[in-house]
Amino acid sequence: ERILMGLVTQPAQTNDRFATDQITDLLFPEEGADFGSDLVARNIQRGRDHGLPSYVAFYDKYFGDSKTSEDMDCWGHRPSTISEANWDVLRTIYEHPHHIDLFVGGLAETPVSGGLTGPVFNAIKLKQSYNLMFGDRFFFTHKDQPFSFTKDAQKHIMDRKLSDILCENTSLEKVPQNAFKLHDQDNNRYKTCSTSCLLYTSDAA
């Protein structure tokens, strides 16, 4: 409960290209060792092992057009998605922009307004979410199928909030109405939890 309360009441750190040494030097250390593996290096190598195209290829796929066709065809053509400082760092690592690994380029992007990641990573997450939804014939929002939820059942699911789930499955006494946003704890955007509001009981199974 303390961890959950911290997650819904404390601001998350902003995202940038830096990674803590807990995952770059000390990942999965053997017992007694003062060093471990490197998660960032693993992610880069996994991308190469699976044959992922470069960051530039994904950029061109989602954002390439006549106006951006020259982006990243040389180091003199920096895209607007990456800051000049990060672009200069990439120049010291890669021989050509087309060699930039997807994971590295994604971390180097400037986060979109109100988001944690940049445009390319956001486009990939959107594509993944779309495929998960429409690749699942039982997804609850699908209509006009033999296995579709009823209209009332769909509304019931859509009306549910994460704050409801936190209240009903923990001993927290007060949580934000919107568990994804920070609010002043003294205003009416918080709800008081009650054990009497549990949706499911042992008889409902």
Side-chain angles (χ1 to χ4, degrees), residues 2-52:
R2 292 180 181 179
I3 294 175
L4 290 172
M5 200 59 188
L7 289 172
V8 298
T9 58
Q10 297 175 3
Q13 288 185 330
T14 57
N15 189 59
D16 53 38
R17 63 180 171 84
F18 299 100
T20 174
D21 59 8
Q22 297 298 314
I23 61 171
T24 58
D25 297 333
L26 302 171
L27 183 72
F28 307 138
E30 294 185 6
E31 186 175 356
D34 56 0
F35 64 91
S37 187
D38 183 340
L39 180 59
V40 174
R42 283 184 179 218
N43 287 345
I44 295 171
Q45 190 60 50
R46 279 188 284 208
R48 296 176 180 180
D49 286 344
H50 288 282
L52 289 182

Side-chain angles (χ1 to χ4, degrees), residues 153-205:
Q154 287 184 344
K155 184 179 184 304
H156 180 74
I157 295 173
M158 294 298 291
D159 286 343
R160 295 283 288 160
K161 299 178 180 179
L162 181 57
S163 57
D164 299 326
I165 296 172
L166 290 174
C167 269
E168 296 166 4
N169 293 279
T170 70
S171 60
L172 296 177
E173 298 178 357
K174 188 178 180 182
V175 297
Q177 292 281 3
N178 186 337
F180 294 98
K181 291 187 176 181
L182 293 178
H183 299 295
D184 184 348
Q185 294 195 36
D186 294 329
N187 65 27
N188 59 6
R189 292 181 177 178
Y190 272 68
K191 65 181 293 182
T192 301
C193 297
S194 171
T195 55
S196 63
C197 70
L198 291 178
L199 176 64
Y200 299 109
T201 66
S202 57
D203 295 334

Side-chain angles (χ1 to χ4, degrees), residues 55 59 68 71-72 77-84 87 108-110 119:
Y55 169 79
Y59 179 92
T68 62
D71 279 351
M72 294 180 280
H77 291 153
R78 176 180 62 85
S80 60
T81 54
I82 298 179
S83 69
E84 186 172 350
W87 190 246
E109 285 189 320
T110 301

Side-chain angles (χ1 to χ4, degrees), residues 54-82 87 96-100 109 119-120:
S54 68
Y55 169 79
V56 176
F58 278 89
Y59 179 92
D60 287 341
K61 175 180 175 62
Y62 294 115
F63 305 106
D65 56 35
S66 59
K67 295 180 180 179
T68 62
S69 59
E70 292 185 347
D71 279 351
M72 294 180 280
D73 63 354
C74 69
W75 290 111
H77 291 153
R78 176 180 62 85
S80 60
T81 54
I82 298 179
W87 190 246
H96 191 278
H98 287 186
H99 299 164
I100 299 173
E109 285 189 320
V120 170

